[in-house]
Amino acid sequence: MTFRESGLVFEFPPRHWVVKPFDRHPFYRVLSGRGFKGVDFIGLHNDEELVCMEVKNYRRSVLSTESDWLAFLESERRVVEHKMEDTLQIVELINQYYRRKPFFRLLNPLFSRFPAFFSEWGFWSRAKDLSENIDKCRFVWWVDADFPTDEEFWQKLPESFPELPLPVTVCRPTLPNPLNIKVFAEET
């Protein structure tokens, strides 16, 4: 599965991933008009983890010191927190919508066990199941920035935000990618 976002191309290996471009999904589009914010991608990783991914491209940023970045990222953290909370709430709302359908209620136990066979319904059913267990969820903040160049800064960044609703993984082109997602710059 290949998706483009913020000047980057993301390739999710289909053997390990089922991914939806969340902020382009019809359910999200209806709810975004009501003030909801959402992440760029939502996915099931190995059918065992719900991953919410926000992509930020700061390559043209004028911030030049680590303290400027920390202040900026603190304000971004609030935006990200809002998107996390809203995304999980939207997953719940999608499932409430589907549960009103008798056929969905009848087959829902199968959706959770075999989501790949039921495409859209199975995806949202499994996403809801995983969202109820914080140990089965992860928020990925994909950051593309020229500065700071110190990778330790980026690796320690999640520790700065312990109160976020989901565990945070910061990914960058120069950091090890624990999710085996291929990312490269979009050709212009």
Side-chain angles (χ1 to χ4, degrees):
M1 288 182 255
T2 302
F3 300 101
R4 288 169 172 65
E5 182 66 41
S6 299
L8 300 170
V9 177
F10 291 81
E11 288 184 359
F12 296 88
R15 199 170 117 225
H16 300 286
W17 284 95
V18 178
V19 177
K20 307 266 183 210
F22 190 70
D23 59 0
R24 291 180 228 139
H25 196 277
F27 282 119
Y28 175 75
R29 288 180 180 227
V30 168
L31 294 169
S32 68
R34 295 191 168 107
F36 284 92
K37 300 288 182 196
V39 296
D40 295 314
F41 302 114
I42 188 167
L44 304 177
H45 182 234
N46 291 326
D47 197 37
E48 296 174 2
E49 183 178 39
L50 177 66
V51 177
C52 302
M53 181 184 289
E54 181 67 14
V55 179
K56 294 293 184 184
N57 187 341
Y58 300 120
R59 286 210 168 264
R60 293 193 173 99
S61 174
V62 295
L63 302 171
S64 59
T65 68
E66 194 169 302
S67 61
D68 288 346
W69 268 101
L70 286 172
F72 173 72
L73 290 172
E74 175 57 29
S75 67
E76 281 289 284
R77 183 203 59 80
R78 288 190 290 277
V79 172
V80 165
E81 181 176 19
H82 185 77
K83 286 185 175 195
M84 275 188 213
E85 292 168 346
D86 282 4
T87 297
L88 294 175
Q89 189 173 357
I90 291 169
V91 169
E92 170 62 31
L93 291 170
I94 291 169
N95 273 272
Q96 285 177 13
Y97 168 77
Y98 277 140
R99 281 195 304 265
R100 291 193 314 233
K101 298 178 179 291
F103 196 62
F104 180 85
R105 287 194 309 269
L106 178 70
L107 293 178
N108 193 40
L110 293 175
F111 297 154
S112 294
R113 292 182 59 202
F114 309 104
F117 294 110
F118 296 101
S119 190
E120 194 72 12
W121 283 7
F123 177 89
W124 294 111
S125 180
R126 186 67 179 146
K128 171 64 174 132
D129 289 348
L130 293 170
S131 74
E132 293 174 348
N133 181 349
I134 194 75
D135 295 330
K136 300 283 186 178
C137 298
R138 178 192 317 219
F139 182 84
V140 173
W141 196 355
W142 188 276
V143 179
D144 196 8
D146 294 325
F147 184 88
T149 56
D150 176 14
E151 294 306 330
E152 192 174 327
F153 170 86
W154 296 105
Q155 289 171 327
K156 290 184 176 181
L157 187 62
E159 298 167 12
S160 306
F161 311 131
E163 70 284 352
L164 291 176
L166 296 177
V168 175
T169 300
V170 173
C171 290
R172 290 182 25 88
T174 55
L175 289 178
N177 181 339
L179 300 171
N180 297 317
I181 304 166
K182 291 182 184 174
V183 182
F184 48 92
E186 192 171 31
E187 293 180 12
T188 54

